[in-house]
């Protein structure tokens, strides 16, 4: 808990005011409580400094009271409120809650409490913005018996008695516990507090003795220990509160799961696993041990060689339709459309998930989730890319998680959620995932080397070793103890730092990878304990037995996930695609200027001025010998434009396509949405090209013919580009392939080289070779040249007459 010096001084004043109600003989007890509290906040060397400050404030108030002859509670209340207002600006709910508990403990020292004493602390609670329910729960937790607590659902008792002794109160049985450990859940602050009621039970928390009847804040991932009762895990305590707070029940079972990559022995070795809802499970291990492979097996993306993955008895791989909407998967790769805003990314994703909700209902859900994830303030900012950032890396990761959370899946798989993030962003992301587990979801994540704080947030840990072998499954705080014990290291029982309570997860990987030393003291490649040996130990000691009830099919929780029909998907994809293009100003500028610029260059350089001696710059269209070259190069430009605008369309979305395939969205609708936009863009590009080029060369009355032929050519090129974009896996490969597609079109189009002059093995003097017939450029060029001769304004009225004359001449000369 971090505080400024000014806040600590304010707290000492507040404690001094509260202790004014105590007689002299009780002041030492009050001071002891304040001292214990300070030890949790500051270094031991500064505890006395703040105690002296408290003593000064306390004696000053006592002197003033002695002069007036009476306690001025109303004046004290005013001063306390002023101090609380200062504290409100700095401390969060959890910190203020713990202060309130300390005040109540100080109050509890007094043998007989007056109503004005309670009202005084209630005034402070109100100043801290706590409602009456929170105050009553805290007051009863410190001052009253269990049976007097108004909200019994927020109380958990741990002791050696039968739970029937505590009707309506949660209970955990520990046989050798003499007294009671009482846990209070404060929902408003998402906090758990505990007290040990009996001094006979020696308990340890965060490496220190637990003082009886003192209130402690239960840190995430922490444990309460005792030589007699072992460990009480944070996850076990939270689970008790969740069981009654939610109706969501998920049983996740892995039965003899095994996987092998094709033509190799690498994969995942057989293992069993059983987990329930309300858990945050981490999969940890070194690079290349198979963490991502395992995650893809568990979520259904990969099919196992043997074994089954069951959710409430339903097979993840064989019965996907029954589990639709239950499973969520967040890959390590970015799934965002960079040109869209934060809101638009989430909104279009939600539209593809909720068929029955209208736009207003979806917008409400999206805004609520953005608010919950602290993204609402940046909702209208463009996402951008890692090189051209608009939002931070942590915000990107939270938005990626939001894409799945909007569906509210009950089993969530996350691959490396903290990769590339700062420590503070990593904490925020893990807290977000932990919150999902606290809501009753099962969250399973891959992580490489977590910090101590992140590591302790896990409820269960799965450790993997080389060869895809699972070598540990259990509570994360037991993992280091297990590996140190198996490796016969000293102080094996110490899994946490006895002073600060931190855990070093990296030590687990160091133990797994520890090497042997030869007789010369040199480290050799052979490991002290092989992965096979660790795996055998896991199978013998730690592998869970699959619950017999796991194979029995139980009800799947209902959810709103329902994908829309193909028609609506096409509409959503098309609007999303259009907005992403419109927001990319550079893309629009280049594509809209490229065609007219090429038309200007081509038209200007092929505008042959025959002229005469009197007017050398005179341009006569009928004498322009470059017109066939212009027509053919126009066809080449159309092919080029079509390929350039379509070649990246699908490959740039490959990660998004994988996710949308996971959601069973229609590829047909997606491809057609791309094609619709390309049709519109190609129509505009070819219209601009024909307008500029034909104007320069004074080709009149032929606009529609030129536009239609070039548009169809560009459209065919679009389809070729979409196909190579879908088939290839690298953008570089695509742009290497484009010249291989264009050069044959130029060479075999019939303009550069006459077909009868090609290699004799390909040609026939009487027919166009097959290789020419399959070239789109040949047909486009031929169509344009024929139309240019037949349908121009000069020739069109005379064509039929000239054709008859030509036929007659042919018959006369040859027949």
């Amino acid at each position: 808990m971090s505080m400024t010096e000014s806040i600590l001084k304010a707290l000492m004043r507040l404690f001094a005011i509260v202790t004014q109600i105590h007689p002299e003989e009780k002041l030492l007890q009050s001071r002891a409580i304040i001292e214990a509290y300070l030890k949790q906040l500051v270094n031991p060397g500064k505890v006395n400094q703040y105690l002296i400050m408290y003593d000064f404030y306390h004696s000053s108030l006592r002197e003033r009271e002695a002069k007036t002859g009476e306690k001025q509670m109303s004046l004290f209340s005013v001063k306390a409120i002023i101090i609380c207002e200062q504290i409100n600006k700095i401390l969060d709910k959890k910190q203020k809650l713990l202060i309130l508990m300390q005040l109540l403990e100080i109050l509890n020292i007094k043998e007989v409490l007056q109503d004005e004493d309670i009202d005084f602390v209630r005034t402070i609670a109100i100043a801290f913005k706590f409602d009456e329910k929170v105050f009553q729960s805290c007051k009863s937790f410190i001052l009253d018996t269990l049976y007097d607590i108004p909200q019994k659902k927020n109380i958990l008792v741990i002791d050696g008695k039968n739970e029937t002794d505590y009707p309506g109160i949660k209970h955990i049985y520990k046989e050798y516990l003499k007294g009671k450990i009482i846990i209070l859940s404060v929902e408003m602050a998402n906090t758990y507090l505990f007290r040990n009621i009996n001094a006979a039970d020696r308990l340890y928390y965060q490496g220190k003795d637990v003082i009886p009847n003192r209130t402690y804040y239960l840190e995430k991932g922490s444990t309460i220990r005792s030589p007699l009762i072992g460990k009480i895990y944070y996850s076990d305590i939270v689970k008790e509160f969740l069981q009654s707070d939610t109706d969501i029940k998920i049983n996740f079972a892995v039965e003899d799961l095994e996987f092998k990559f094709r033509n190799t022995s690498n994969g995942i070795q057989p293992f069993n696993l059983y987990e329930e809802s309300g858990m945050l499970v981490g999969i940890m291990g070194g690079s290349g041990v198979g963490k991502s492979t395992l995650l893809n097996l568990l979520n259904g993306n990969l099919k196992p060689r043997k074994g089954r993955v069951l959710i409430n008895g339903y097979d993840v791989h064989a019965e996907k339709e029954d589990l639709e909407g239950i499973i969520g998967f967040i890959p390590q790769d970015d799934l965002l459309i960079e040109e869209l805003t934060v809101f638009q990314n989430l909104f279009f994703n939600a539209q593809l998930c909720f068929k029955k909700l209208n736009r207003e209902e979806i917008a409400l859900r999206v805004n609520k989730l953005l608010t919950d994830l602290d993204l609402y303030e940046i909702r209208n900012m463009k996402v951008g890319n890692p090189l051209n950032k608009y939002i931070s890396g942590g915000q990107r990761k939270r938005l990626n998680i939001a894409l799945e959370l909007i569906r509210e899946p009950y089993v969530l798989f996350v691959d490396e959620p903290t990769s590339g993030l700062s420590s503070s962003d990593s904490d925020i992301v893990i807290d977000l995932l932990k919150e999902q587990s606290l809501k009753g979801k099962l969250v399973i994540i891959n992580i490489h080397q977590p910090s101590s704080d992140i590591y302790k947030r896990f409820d269960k840990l799965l450790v993997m070793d080389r060869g895809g072998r699972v070598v540990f499954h259990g509570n994360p705080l037991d993992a280091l103890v297990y590996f140190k014990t198996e490796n016969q290291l000293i102080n094996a029982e110490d899994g946490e730092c006895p002073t600060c309570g931190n855990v070093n997860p990296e030590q687990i990987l160091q133990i797994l990878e520890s090497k042997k030393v030869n007789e010369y003291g040199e480290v050799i490649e052979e490991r002290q304990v092989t992965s096979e040996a660790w795996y055998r130990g896991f199978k013998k000691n730690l592998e869970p037995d699959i619950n017999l009830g796991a194979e029995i099919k139980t009800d799947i929780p209902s959810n709103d996930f329902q994908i829309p029909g193909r028609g609506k998907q096409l509409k959503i994809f098309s609007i999303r695609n259009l907005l992403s293009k419109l927001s990319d100003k550079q893309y629009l500028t280049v594509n809209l200027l490229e065609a007219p610029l090429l038309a200007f260059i081509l038209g200007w350089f092929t505008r042959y001025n025959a002229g005469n001696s009197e007017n050398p710059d005179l341009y006569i269209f009928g004498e322009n010998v470059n017109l066939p070259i212009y027509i053919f190069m126009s066809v080449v430009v159309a092919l080029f434009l079509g390929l350039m605008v379509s070649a990246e369309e699908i490959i740039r979305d490959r990660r998004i396509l994988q996710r949308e395939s996971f959601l069973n969205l229609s590829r047909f609708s997606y491809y057609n949405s791309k094609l619709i936009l390309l049709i519109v863009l190609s129509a505009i590009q070819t219209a601009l090209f024909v307008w500029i080029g034909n104007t320069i060369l004074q080709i009149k009355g032929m606009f529609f013919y030129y536009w239609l032929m070039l548009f169809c050519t560009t459209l065919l090129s679009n389809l070729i580009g979409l196909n190579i974009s879908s088939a290839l896996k690298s953008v570089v490969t695509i742009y290497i392939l484009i010249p291989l597609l264009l050069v044959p079109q130029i060479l075999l189009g019939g303009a550069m080289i006459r077909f009868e002059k090609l290699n004799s093995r390909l040609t026939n003097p009487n027919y166009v070779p097959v290789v020419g017939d399959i070239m789109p450029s040949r047909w486009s060029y031929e169509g344009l040249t024929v139309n240019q001769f037949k349908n121009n304004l000069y020739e069109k009225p005379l064509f039929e007459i000239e054709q008859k004359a030509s036929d007659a001449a042919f018959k006369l000369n040859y027949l």
Side-chain angles (χ1 to χ4, degrees):
M1 184 186 298
S2 58
M3 289 190 188
T4 63
E5 186 173 351
S6 61
I7 289 298
L8 270 175
K9 289 179 179 178
L11 279 177
M12 293 306 104
R13 286 193 182 95
L14 188 60
F15 289 146
I17 291 171
V18 174
T19 53
Q20 294 306 304
I21 63 174
H22 291 158
E24 289 291 339
E25 62 271 14
K26 298 291 185 181
L27 290 180
L28 287 178
Q29 294 181 42
S30 303
R31 198 175 188 274
I33 293 173
I34 296 167
E35 183 178 3
Y37 175 68
L38 285 170
K39 286 179 179 178
Q40 299 178 47
L41 300 178
V42 299
N43 295 327
K46 288 198 170 184
V47 171
N48 282 334
Q49 173 185 336
Y50 287 101
L51 282 175
I52 292 171
M53 195 180 297
Y54 158 76
D55 291 338
F56 171 76
Y57 294 141
H58 180 78
S59 60
S60 298
L61 289 171
R62 280 291 168 104
E63 288 175 7
R64 189 174 302 171
E65 178 188 324
K67 289 179 181 178
T68 58
E70 58 181 7
K71 297 183 186 296
Q72 298 177 337
M73 293 302 293
S74 59
L75 180 60
F76 290 160
S77 296
V78 172
K79 289 184 177 181
I81 291 171
I82 294 171
I83 294 171
C84 290
E85 287 176 354
Q86 182 183 355
I87 291 172
N88 280 337
K89 297 176 182 178
I90 305 294
L91 302 187
D92 59 27
K93 290 179 182 178
K94 295 177 183 178
Q95 295 169 326
K96 291 190 290 185
L97 183 67
L98 198 53
I99 293 171
L100 179 62
M101 301 305 282
Q102 302 297 321
L103 296 176
L104 288 168
E105 283 188 2
I106 293 171
L107 199 67
N108 195 33
I109 295 171
K110 192 174 181 181
E111 293 176 356
V112 179
L113 289 174
Q114 306 295 327
D115 289 341
E116 64 176 4
D117 300 332
I118 303 294
D119 290 338
F120 178 69
V121 179
R122 179 184 279 108
T123 301
I124 294 174
I126 293 171
F128 278 160
K129 311 302 180 185
F130 293 130
D131 58 31
E132 182 64 19
K133 288 182 180 179
V134 172
F135 173 72
Q136 287 295 337
S137 295
C138 295
K139 180 182 81 70
S140 301
F141 184 67
I142 301 293
L143 305 179
D144 303 332
T145 64
L146 289 174
Y147 303 102
D148 295 327
I149 293 178
Q151 292 180 302
K152 292 184 172 58
K153 67 170 188 173
N154 293 335
I155 289 291
L156 169 67
V157 176
I158 306 173
D159 66 6
K161 292 185 179 181
N162 194 308
E163 65 179 76
T164 55
D165 294 341
Y166 306 103
I169 295 175
K170 298 175 181 64
H171 183 264
I172 294 178
Y173 176 75
K174 291 292 182 181
E175 182 179 357
Y176 299 107
L177 197 62
K178 298 174 184 177
K180 294 184 185 69
I181 301 173
I182 305 176
I183 315 288
L184 173 66
S185 169
V186 184
E187 296 173 352
M188 180 182 179
N190 192 22
T191 302
Y192 298 92
L193 305 169
F194 78 92
R195 302 175 72 206
N196 175 28
I197 302 302
N198 196 325
D201 295 312
R202 188 160 190 185
L203 304 178
Y204 301 93
Y205 176 69
Q206 302 285 59
K208 299 177 182 178
D209 286 328
V210 175
I211 302 172
N213 295 313
R214 293 282 168 82
T215 302
Y216 292 83
Y217 165 55
L218 196 62
E219 296 275 359
K220 293 176 181 177
S222 57
T223 57
I224 302 170
R225 303 168 182 250
S226 169
L228 293 177
I229 64 171
K231 301 174 183 176
I232 303 171
Y233 296 106
Y234 174 85
S235 57
D236 294 334
I237 292 169
V238 173
K239 191 175 179 181
E240 289 295 321
F241 287 101
L242 285 175
Q243 283 178 348
S244 60
D245 288 348
T246 179
D247 296 329
I248 302 169
K249 299 297 176 188
I250 291 291
N251 299 315
F252 185 83
V254 176
E255 182 181 12
D256 294 325
L257 191 70
E258 183 181 0
F259 175 78
K260 290 288 186 294
F261 289 105
R262 186 177 296 178
N263 301 324
T264 180
S265 59
N266 291 332
I268 302 296
Q269 303 302 320
F271 78 103
N272 293 328
L273 178 70
Y274 183 80
E275 294 294 350
E276 295 180 346
S277 51
M279 306 294 283
L280 177 62
V281 182
I283 302 176
M284 196 175 109
S287 298
V289 298
K291 299 190 299 295
S292 294
T293 302
L294 177 58
L295 207 66
N296 281 299
L297 280 170
L298 299 181
N299 65 32
N301 278 342
L302 281 179
K303 192 170 183 179
R305 178 182 177 185
K306 293 180 182 177
R308 297 185 298 169
V309 180
L310 304 175
I311 295 178
N312 285 17
Y314 290 86
D315 193 309
V316 167
H317 299 91
E319 299 172 290
K320 282 188 175 182
E321 291 184 2
D322 295 308
L323 295 171
E324 195 172 57
I326 297 297
I327 299 174
F329 175 51
I330 303 169
Q332 185 177 353
D333 295 326
D334 213 338
L335 298 175
L336 306 176
I337 299 174
E338 296 165 356
E339 296 81 13
L340 297 182
T341 65
V342 170
F343 177 86
Q344 288 171 336
N345 267 278
L346 194 51
F347 180 78
F348 286 119
N349 174 74
Q351 279 193 310
L352 292 166
C353 294
F354 302 119
K355 175 182 178 180
K356 296 181 178 179
L357 300 182
N358 58 40
R359 290 176 61 88
E360 290 72 22
E361 291 171 327
I362 290 174
L364 282 173
R365 285 199 178 198
V366 168
N367 284 325
K368 182 180 183 304
L369 184 58
L370 290 176
T371 302
D372 292 342
L373 302 186
D374 197 23
L375 296 172
Y376 187 77
E377 295 297 324
I378 61 164
R379 66 191 183 281
N380 294 321
M381 288 182 64
K382 190 188 292 187
V383 167
N385 58 53
L387 296 179
N388 188 20
K389 289 186 177 181
Y390 290 91
I391 63 175
S392 70
Q395 290 169 333
R396 291 180 74 91
K397 182 62 73 173
R398 275 181 278 156
L399 184 55
N400 273 287
I401 294 173
L403 296 178
E404 281 297 292
L405 293 190
I406 193 73
R407 297 195 297 112
E408 297 188 352
Y410 293 100
V411 183
L412 182 61
F413 297 92
V414 192
D415 193 5
E416 296 285 357
T418 60
S419 177
L421 299 184
S422 65
S423 57
S424 58
D425 283 334
S426 297
D427 286 340
I428 292 171
V429 168
I430 295 299
D431 276 339
L432 173 61
L433 296 172
K434 180 65 180 178
E435 185 179 340
Q436 293 303 305
S437 70
L438 294 177
K439 291 178 179 178
K441 313 294 176 62
L442 174 61
V443 183
I444 301 176
I445 71 174
N446 275 351
I447 198 157
H448 184 55
Q449 284 185 324
S451 66
S452 175
D453 288 339
I454 290 175
Y455 181 83
K456 290 168 73 175
R457 285 177 172 83
F458 293 126
D459 301 306
K460 289 288 184 67
L461 182 70
L462 209 67
V463 179
M464 297 190 69
D465 200 5
R466 293 182 187 180
R469 296 178 176 88
V470 177
V471 296
F472 178 82
H473 175 248
N475 192 285
L477 296 178
D478 292 338
L480 189 55
V481 174
Y482 169 77
F483 287 112
K484 288 169 72 174
T485 303
E486 293 294 308
N487 218 23
Q488 298 181 350
L489 299 179
I490 60 172
N491 300 324
E493 67 282 356
D494 293 337
E496 303 172 74
C497 171
T499 304
C500 62
N502 286 340
V503 181
N504 184 10
E506 189 178 351
Q507 197 173 356
I508 294 173
L509 302 182
Q510 291 172 350
I511 293 172
L512 288 175
E513 292 291 340
S514 59
K515 302 291 194 293
K516 287 184 177 180
V517 178
N518 63 19
E519 63 270 23
Y520 301 105
E522 298 169 337
V523 177
I524 60 177
E525 284 301 311
E526 186 180 352
R527 285 170 51 163
Q528 290 185 9
V529 181
T530 64
S531 60
E532 292 86 352
W534 286 119
Y535 178 64
R536 288 194 297 270
F538 164 76
K539 299 289 283 186
K540 180 181 178 181
N541 303 319
L542 298 174
E543 187 174 40
D545 295 325
I546 298 301
N547 190 329
L548 294 177
E551 298 186 2
I552 300 173
K553 290 186 177 180
T554 57
D555 291 339
I556 297 292
S558 60
N559 62 86
D560 293 330
F561 176 75
Q562 189 176 7
I563 62 174
R566 284 187 175 185
K568 188 171 183 182
Q569 286 186 52
L570 174 61
K571 180 182 176 182
I572 296 168
F573 283 134
S574 299
I575 295 173
R576 184 180 75 176
N577 201 20
L578 177 63
L579 288 177
S580 69
K581 300 304 183 193
L582 291 177
S583 66
D584 190 343
K585 301 295 188 290
Q586 191 176 48
Y587 173 89
L588 280 178
T589 303
V590 170
N591 278 292
L592 293 179
L593 289 180
E594 188 175 27
L597 186 60
L598 287 171
F600 175 79
I601 294 170
L602 186 58
W604 181 261
F605 283 101
T606 58
R607 182 184 167 105
Y608 172 66
N609 300 323
N612 52 45
S613 56
E614 295 179 2
N615 189 0
D617 294 328
L618 178 66
Y619 172 74
I620 301 173
F621 169 71
E623 296 181 9
N624 188 353
V625 294
N626 293 326
L627 185 61
I629 300 299
Y630 168 77
I631 293 173
F632 182 70
M633 288 306 299
S634 297
V635 171
V636 174
V637 168
L639 289 167
F640 171 77
L641 290 175
L643 282 172
M644 293 305 293
V645 297
S646 62
E648 276 193 60
E649 279 300 305
I650 295 175
I651 195 170
R652 68 188 303 206
D653 291 345
R654 61 189 183 276
R655 294 188 298 267
I656 297 172
L657 278 173
Q658 287 176 354
R659 178 179 182 275
E660 292 177 346
S661 175
F662 181 80
L663 298 177
N664 294 322
L665 296 176
S666 170
R667 283 289 180 96
F668 179 79
S669 299
Y670 170 81
Y671 292 142
N672 277 292
S673 71
K674 292 289 184 184
L675 189 57
I676 288 170
L677 182 68
L678 291 175
I679 289 172
V680 174
L681 181 59
S682 297
I684 295 171
Q685 285 182 314
T686 49
L688 291 171
F689 180 89
V690 173
W691 176 48
I692 298 294
N694 287 16
T695 300
I696 293 173
L697 294 181
Q698 297 182 8
I699 303 173
K700 299 178 181 180
M702 300 293 292
F703 179 87
F704 178 74
Y705 295 111
Y706 272 73
W707 173 81
L708 183 61
M709 186 59 74
L710 293 180
F711 169 64
C712 291
T713 305
T714 307
L715 187 57
L716 175 63
S717 187
N718 289 156
L719 292 171
I720 295 171
L722 288 176
N723 274 280
I724 64 173
S725 183
S726 177
L728 300 180
K729 297 181 179 179
S730 166
V731 175
V732 175
T733 309
I734 288 173
Y735 286 107
I736 290 172
L737 186 62
I738 285 178
L740 294 178
L741 295 171
L742 282 177
V743 170
Q745 299 283 347
I746 298 171
L747 185 65
L748 302 172
M752 303 293 291
I753 304 175
R754 297 178 64 177
F755 288 122
E756 60 267 25
K757 300 297 182 181
L758 291 171
N759 191 311
S760 59
R761 295 184 180 182
L762 297 175
T763 61
N764 185 304
N766 298 318
Y767 304 103
V768 175
V770 174
V771 70
D773 281 337
I774 64 175
M775 292 295 151
S777 59
R778 177 249 163 144
W779 296 104
S780 299
Y781 176 58
E782 184 175 315
L784 278 172
T785 51
V786 169
N787 266 284
Q788 176 63 48
F789 175 77
K790 177 181 174 182
N791 293 320
N792 68 77
L793 296 177
Y794 174 78
E795 184 67 27
K796 191 172 183 178
L798 306 173
F799 179 78
E800 290 184 4
I801 298 171
E802 290 183 354
Q803 187 179 39
K804 289 176 181 179
S806 177
D807 288 343
F810 176 80
K811 291 174 183 178
L812 176 66
N813 294 327
Y814 295 102
L815 298 181

